[in-house]
């Protein structure tokens, strides 16, 4: 928390707390809460003295009292008072020195029931404060505390280890960093009894979290007793504490203890995790735990400790996200132990198990028994020359047919197909996944093979190569083979692993079918395999992100809207709350099914991937173009770009264009409406308009103009100095009434008055040019403005100049060999679009 400046005053609340025994006499009169404004320049003792006077506490010296946080029960001192937020609530208590002295009197007493009910309750609350813990250790309070474990006549009975006693010992040792577990006297006896109690499930629900909390702290701090705890604690019994009936704190420390044992234990200890989690009962309990997290079940007061303060103490540090992270970490250890060895192991070419797998892959797809199953994966060249093999195997046709089947399955090595799985990773894991696909979803497997068999070899989606790539992608996304870090947050893909059996294998099958679907959408060839792989990787990654618990919960909560017309009385109705909670829960639960995961894979298709990548690239270019150094470069190039745009507009006018022209002369009774060819002469001083018939084309007019042939044309030369004004988009409502009898089939009907240019001469003659589109109108209007020494004010002129300016800036940046322009780093991605196919010549 950021500290406040020393000149800011804050307001706090102080009340009398009867629920916590602080050694003060019962008030004779009501002690009402007080609102105090704290001034950092005024000592804290002054405020405490005033509170004691107002509440008529019979204590002359206010130094014996202190303020404590109402939620954390930590003491307020002069050193930490600047961290107090405004609006914080406190209660009056003995100072930490007097609290230590008063508690030591109780701990040295021989009345067991007395200190169990009062002292240990207070000791547990105060033990989380570092100032109190330091004073308690300095006063040799740990010696008195440890004697309660060792010297009591009931020390052999684990029921003596009350939750407050264990929690007090843990809080004081953990919050006082100068004390080490190894330096505590007779701590080994306590550890032995804790281990026995956890393994034999002799601990009551109120004791279990405190016991596992101490064991976790000892192992986490790498004590000399850590190896003893790791070797003797049984993971199966720890998983028993993860059932839904336990409180959140017990579940959390049971999972934390398992994870710390996994991170610090050897391979033998880690292998026990797979054995323990293969138990059906354990799997069911973890699944119920995950379901309760998805349902957002809150632990009730009966599931935690007896008092309200204990419940607050338990839920203050532990949240639902903390439990999620421990489950995610457990899933990381479990997946590593389950798949890492297979992922990093290449198959033995002489192992009959793997040869039988490949034989089944071929037989299931083509339903042929060309060769014996135990010999189908050996080197075919050796088998053909061998004299000991069956006579049918030496038939060259059978060998060729077998190789053709392997080729249709997508094998690269047709002589010895098992060599395709030699690359590590993913090793034999890809072969096992493909075999799972063949056995459990045979119809989809056969459809995959036969669908690609009818294509050419270049257009086929290779089954084996795709399976190897999908296995590699899933291992990367699920971080299989990477040692988990207990101090980092991990992605929450774990939910479906606990809810769905064999989720990794089922996800492989679904993603392999997605690979084939994307291959067809992209119309890919064998040379485009890496491009398709990059798109599929992004599809899987985004789909897994959609089924994450955090994203799903946020999206559901954001979509849950309450109508403003519902009043507060209706909102407080228990029936409405139940209905809202039920709908919210069902909405979250539907996001943790395999069908929803498959749906997300279909939604993130190739078209959407391309659109998102184009948008990202466009945003990146816009960001680069907004850099200050690029803006400076734009200002330098702007005049040159404007000159190029002017030249382009004049060049368009010099090429000439045919317009439907409406000519209006003063005093004339009839307006002429005809096709005319307009062109700017090379001297840029005259505009020429030539009347043409409906059969005259633009090319003929241009040729006639170049040949200076005027036999079939009626030309009109308009000097620029005779042009008085040029306007565009003029509303010509009467233009629709003019009907042209003879029209060329190449020209559409020009009845759109908004796409027109009106040229006014000094002799009051006007020419209205009806354009085919807005772009032609803007180009000619900009050209006339240039000739009349005006600014180009059309939208297309600004757009063309901006596009050309950005293009020139990018060229200048690429050619500029200077450290002055530093662009943000951007990693080039694999192209998302395949090059266009060109017909073979």
């Amino acid at each position: 928390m950021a500290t406040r400046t020393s000149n800011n005053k804050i307001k706090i609340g102080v009340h009398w707390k009867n629920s916590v025994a602080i050694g003060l006499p019962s008030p004779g009169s009501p002690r009402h809460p007080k609102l105090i404004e704290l001034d950092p320049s005024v000592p804290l003792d002054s405020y405490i003295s005033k509170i004691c006077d107002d509440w008529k506490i019979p204590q002359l010296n206010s130094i014996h009292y202190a303020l404590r946080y109402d939620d954390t029960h930590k003491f307020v001192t002069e050193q930490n008072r600047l961290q107090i937020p405004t609006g914080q609530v406190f209660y009056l208590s003995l100072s930490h020195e007097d609290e230590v002295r008063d508690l030591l009197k109780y701990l040295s007493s021989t009345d067991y029931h007395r200190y169990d009910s009062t002292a240990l309750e207070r000791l547990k609350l105060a033990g989380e404060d570092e100032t109190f813990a330091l004073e308690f250790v300095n006063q040799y309070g740990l010696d008195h505390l440890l004697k309660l474990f060792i010297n009591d006549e009931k020390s052999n009975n684990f029921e003596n280890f009350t939750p407050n006693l264990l929690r007090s010992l843990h809080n004081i040792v953990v919050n006082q960093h100068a004390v080490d577990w190894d330096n505590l006297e007779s701590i080994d006896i306590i550890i032995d009894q804790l281990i026995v109690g956890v393994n034999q499930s002799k601990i009551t629900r109120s004791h279990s979290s405190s016991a596992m909390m101490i064991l976790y702290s000892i192992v986490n701090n790498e004590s000399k007793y850590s190896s003893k705890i790791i070797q003797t604690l049984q993971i199966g019994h720890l998983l028993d504490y993860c059932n839904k009936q336990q409180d959140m704190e017990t579940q959390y420390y049971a999972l934390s203890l398992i994870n710390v044992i996994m991170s610090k234990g050897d391979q033998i200890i880690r292998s026990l995790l797979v054995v323990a989690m293969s138990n059906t009962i354990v799997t069911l309990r973890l699944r119920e735990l995950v379901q309760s997290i998805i349902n957002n079940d809150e632990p009730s007061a009966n599931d935690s400790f007896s008092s309200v303060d204990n419940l607050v103490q338990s839920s203050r540090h532990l949240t639902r996200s903390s439990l999620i992270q421990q489950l995610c970490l457990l899933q990381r250890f479990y997946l590593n132990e389950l798949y890492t060895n297979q992922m990093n192991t290449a198959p033995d070419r002489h192992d009959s198990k793997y040869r039988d797998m490949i034989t089944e892959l071929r037989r299931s797809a083509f339903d042929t028994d060309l060769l014996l199953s135990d010999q189908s994966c050996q080197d075919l060249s050796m088998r053909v020359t061998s004299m000991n093999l069956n006579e049918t195997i030496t038939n060259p046709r059978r060998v060729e047919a077998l190789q053709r089947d392997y080729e249709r399955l997508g094998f690269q090595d047709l002589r010895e197909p098992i060599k395709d799985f030699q690359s590590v990773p993913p090793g034999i894991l890809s072969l096992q996944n493909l075999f799972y696909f063949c056995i459990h979803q045979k119809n989809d497997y056969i459809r995959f093979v036969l669908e690609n068999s009818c294509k050419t070899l270049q257009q086929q989606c290779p089954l084996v190569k795709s399976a190897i790539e999908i296995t590699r992608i899933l291992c990367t996304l699920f971080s299989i083979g990477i040692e988990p870090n207990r101090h980092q947050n991990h992605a929450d893909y774990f939910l479906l692993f606990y809810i769905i059996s064999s989720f990794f294998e089922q996800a492989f099958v679904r993603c392999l079918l997605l690979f084939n679907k994307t291959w067809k959408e992209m119309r890919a060839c064998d040379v485009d395999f890496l491009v398709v792989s990059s798109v599929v990787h992004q599809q899987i990654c985004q789909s897994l992100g959609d089924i994450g618990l955090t994203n799903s919960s946020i999206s559901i909560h954001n979509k849950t809207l309450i109508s403003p017309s519902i009043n507060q009385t209706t909102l407080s109705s228990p029936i409405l709350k139940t209905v809202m909670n039920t709908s919210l829960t069902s909405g979250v639960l539907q996001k943790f099914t395999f069908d929803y995961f498959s749906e997300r894979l279909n939604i993130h298709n190739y078209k959407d991937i391309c659109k998102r990548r184009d948008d990202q690239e466009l945003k990146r270019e816009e960001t680069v173009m907004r850099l200050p150094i690029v803006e400076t470069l734009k200002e330098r190039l702007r005049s040159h770009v404007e000159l190029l745009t002017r030249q382009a507009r004049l060049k368009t006018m010099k090429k000439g264009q045919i317009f439907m022209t409406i000519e209006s002369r003063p005093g004339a009774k009839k307006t002429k409406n005809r096709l005319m060819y307009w062109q700017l002469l090379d001297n840029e001083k005259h505009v020429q308009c030539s009347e043409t018939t409906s059969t005259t084309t633009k090319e003929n007019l241009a040729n006639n103009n170049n040949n200076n042939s005027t036999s079939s044309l009626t030309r009109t030369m308009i000097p620029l100095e005779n042009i008085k004004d040029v306007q565009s988009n003029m509303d010509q409502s009467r233009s629709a009434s003019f009907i042209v009898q003879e029209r060329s089939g190449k020209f559409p009907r020009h009845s759109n008055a908004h796409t027109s240019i009106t040229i006014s001469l000094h002799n009051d003659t006007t020419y209205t040019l009806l354009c085919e589109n807005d772009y032609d109108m803007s180009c000619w209007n900009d050209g006339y403005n240039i000739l009349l020494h005006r600014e180009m004010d059309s939208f297309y002129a600004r757009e063309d100049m901006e596009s050309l300016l950005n293009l020139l800036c990018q060229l200048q940046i690429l050619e500029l060999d200077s450290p002055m322009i530093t662009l943000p780093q951007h990693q080039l991605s694999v192209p998302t679009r395949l090059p266009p196919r060109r017909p073979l010549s």
Side-chain angles (χ1 to χ4, degrees), residues 649-767:
R649 293 295 188 267
L650 296 178
K651 186 177 180 180
T652 301
M653 297 183 67
K654 290 178 181 180
K655 288 182 179 180
Q657 190 170 348
I658 298 176
F659 296 101
M660 180 63 65
T661 306
I662 302 173
E663 182 181 356
S664 177
R665 294 181 179 274
K669 296 182 179 180
K670 188 176 181 180
T671 303
K672 296 182 179 181
N673 190 357
R674 54 191 173 178
L675 289 175
M676 300 189 71
Y677 177 75
W678 290 78
Q679 184 183 23
L680 175 67
L681 299 184
D682 293 337
N683 58 10
E684 299 182 2
K685 293 183 179 180
H686 294 80
V687 178
Q688 172 183 279
C689 56
S690 305
E691 185 177 359
T692 179
T693 62
S694 60
T695 59
T696 306
T697 61
K698 179 179 176 181
E699 289 77 9
N700 294 333
L701 289 171
N703 293 332
N704 292 335
N705 181 61
N706 294 334
N707 297 331
N708 295 323
S709 176
T710 59
S711 59
S712 62
L713 297 176
T714 302
R715 295 185 177 180
T716 302
M717 303 293 293
I718 303 176
L720 294 179
E721 58 187 13
N722 290 344
I723 298 178
K724 180 173 62 175
D725 191 17
V726 177
Q727 296 181 359
S728 62
N729 293 338
M730 180 176 291
D731 186 13
Q732 297 283 349
S733 59
R734 61 178 181 173
S735 63
S737 63
F738 296 112
I739 302 176
V740 181
Q741 300 295 332
E742 295 181 357
R743 293 185 183 274
S744 172
K746 295 183 179 180
F747 300 98
R749 191 177 187 87
H750 295 286
S751 61
N752 296 328
H754 67 282
T755 56
S756 63
I757 300 174
T758 301
I759 304 173
S760 302
L761 304 183
H762 287 288
N763 59 1
D764 295 334
T765 300
T766 60
Y767 296 93

Side-chain angles (χ1 to χ4, degrees), residues 87-354:
Q88 182 66 46
V89 179
F90 300 90
Y91 67 91
L92 190 65
S93 169
L94 292 176
S95 64
H96 62 275
E97 297 92 345
D98 290 86
E99 186 80 358
V100 169
R101 286 193 291 267
D102 191 54
L103 287 174
L104 289 179
K105 293 179 182 179
Y106 283 96
L107 295 179
S108 59
S109 174
T110 58
D111 188 357
Y112 172 79
H113 298 285
R114 184 184 179 193
Y115 61 66
D116 179 58
S117 59
T118 57
L120 294 181
E121 175 75 17
R122 292 164 52 189
L123 182 61
K124 183 202 66 174
L125 296 178
E128 293 200 4
D129 186 78
E130 295 184 5
T131 305
F132 174 86
L134 178 62
E135 182 67 22
F136 188 83
V137 173
N138 292 336
Q139 297 295 332
Y140 304 100
L142 280 178
D143 297 337
H144 296 279
L145 193 60
L146 292 173
K147 289 179 181 179
L148 299 179
F149 291 93
I150 308 302
N151 297 331
D152 190 81
E153 61 180 0
K154 299 180 181 179
S155 60
N156 292 329
N157 186 358
F158 195 82
E159 293 299 325
N160 272 349
F161 295 171
T162 63
N164 292 338
L165 186 61
L166 294 173
R167 188 66 60 88
S168 301
L169 178 63
H170 171 269
N171 291 344
I172 292 174
V173 174
V174 170
N175 290 307
Q176 200 349 278
H177 303 289
V179 177
D180 193 358
W181 290 105
D182 296 341
N183 299 329
L184 297 180
E185 183 180 0
S186 305
I187 189 64
D188 54 339
I189 302 176
I190 301 175
I191 293 175
D192 291 339
Q193 298 190 21
L194 291 177
I195 293 176
V196 172
V198 172
N199 284 338
Q200 298 181 2
S201 300
K202 292 183 177 180
I203 311 179
T204 60
R205 293 179 60 183
S206 59
H207 295 63
S208 55
S209 60
S210 302
M212 287 184 289
M213 189 183 300
I214 293 179
L215 295 176
Y216 170 80
S217 177
I218 295 173
V219 178
N220 190 44
N221 292 328
E222 297 182 353
S223 169
K224 64 181 180 181
Y225 303 105
S226 297
S227 59
K228 179 180 180 180
I229 297 175
I230 293 174
Q231 296 295 329
T232 54
L233 272 181
Q234 299 178 12
I235 298 178
H237 287 89
L238 290 175
L239 289 172
D240 291 339
Y241 292 97
C242 298
N243 58 70
K244 187 179 179 180
Q245 286 70 29
Q246 297 288 344
D247 59 278
M248 181 183 292
E249 193 173 45
T250 301
Q251 297 166 349
Y252 173 81
Y253 278 104
L255 293 172
S256 301
L257 198 52
I258 295 174
N259 291 329
V260 75
I261 290 175
M262 289 295 102
S263 63
K264 298 180 182 298
D266 53 13
Q267 185 60 39
I268 299 177
I269 298 297
R270 292 188 172 192
S271 61
L272 296 176
L273 177 64
V274 178
V275 178
M277 294 190 67
S278 61
N279 191 338
T280 306
I281 298 178
V282 172
T283 305
L284 181 61
R285 288 177 177 175
L286 290 175
R287 188 171 301 177
E288 290 177 351
L289 176 59
V290 173
Q291 291 284 356
S292 64
I293 293 177
I294 296 176
N295 294 335
N296 199 12
D297 289 344
E298 298 294 339
S300 62
N302 296 330
D303 291 335
S304 187
F305 303 104
S306 56
S307 66
V308 177
D309 293 329
N310 289 334
L311 179 60
V312 173
Q313 180 77 6
S314 173
S315 61
R316 185 175 67 249
H317 299 291
L318 298 180
T319 60
R320 186 162 155 260
S321 60
S322 302
L323 196 59
I324 289 175
Q325 281 301 312
Q326 293 301 323
L327 277 170
C328 185
L329 191 60
L330 177 64
Q331 169 243 321
R332 291 282 302 275
F333 282 116
Y334 176 68
L335 291 181
N336 276 348
E337 293 304 314
L338 203 58
Y339 298 113
T340 300
N341 187 33
Q342 305 169 11
M343 183 186 69
N344 295 327
T345 303
D348 186 4
R349 50 187 290 189
H350 302 293
D351 194 337
S352 61
K353 178 176 68 173
Y354 303 125

